[in-house]
Amino acid sequence: QVQLVELGGGLVQAGGSLRLSCAASGRTFIGYSMGWFRQAPGKEREFVAAISAVGGRTSYADSVKGRFTISRDNAKNTMSLQMNSLIPEDTAVYYCAADRRPLWTPGDVHDYWGQGTQVTVSS
């Protein structure tokens, strides 16, 4: 059974940092592009960051550029999101996703999703 499990969420003060991890099991995700999304209360799910399997290309939402960094460790079958300079607007449930297309394809139709982890940033 293929699973993606997000870890590392929690409560942090504005200006602080958190590191989210996405652990994959059930298959290797080498060759898969992977990404992070988030959904705040009362809002639609939105794209945060992604990393392709080809050349490790990354992309970010404008709202997180310069503050968040996405990375992956294929040997460990994991992906991470380092979040710095957090602001209250970053408060949301964060989801990781994996897509069998090696180049990240914008949109929210992807093959595998995690269950989400809560990130709360207090002012």
Side-chain angles (χ1 to χ4, degrees), residues 2-99:
V2 177
Q3 277 192 316
L4 296 177
V5 177
E6 300 94 339
L7 300 170
L11 173 64
V12 64
Q13 287 189 330
S17 298
L18 278 176
R19 185 176 182 87
L20 303 183
S21 295
C22 175
S25 62
R27 67 156 300 127
T28 177
F29 283 90
I30 295 175
Y32 279 57
S33 57
M34 300 186 76
W36 289 96
F37 289 79
R38 67 186 181 187
Q39 186 167 19
K43 295 187 177 181
E44 293 188 353
R45 186 169 58 192
E46 63 175 3
F47 168 77
V48 175
I51 185 164
S52 293
V54 179
R57 298 177 190 175
T58 59
S59 60
Y60 297 92
D62 287 343
S63 58
V64 307
K65 276 181 184 176
R67 301 189 297 121
F68 291 12
T69 303
I70 189 171
S71 60
R72 64 190 296 166
D73 185 335
N74 288 334
K76 296 182 179 180
N77 223 21
T78 59
M79 174 182 62
S80 296
L81 185 69
Q82 177 66 42
M83 306 186 295
N84 298 328
S85 303
L86 285 161
I87 58 178
E89 289 76 14
D90 294 320
T91 295
V93 177
Y94 283 70
Y95 300 90
C96 66
D99 193 306

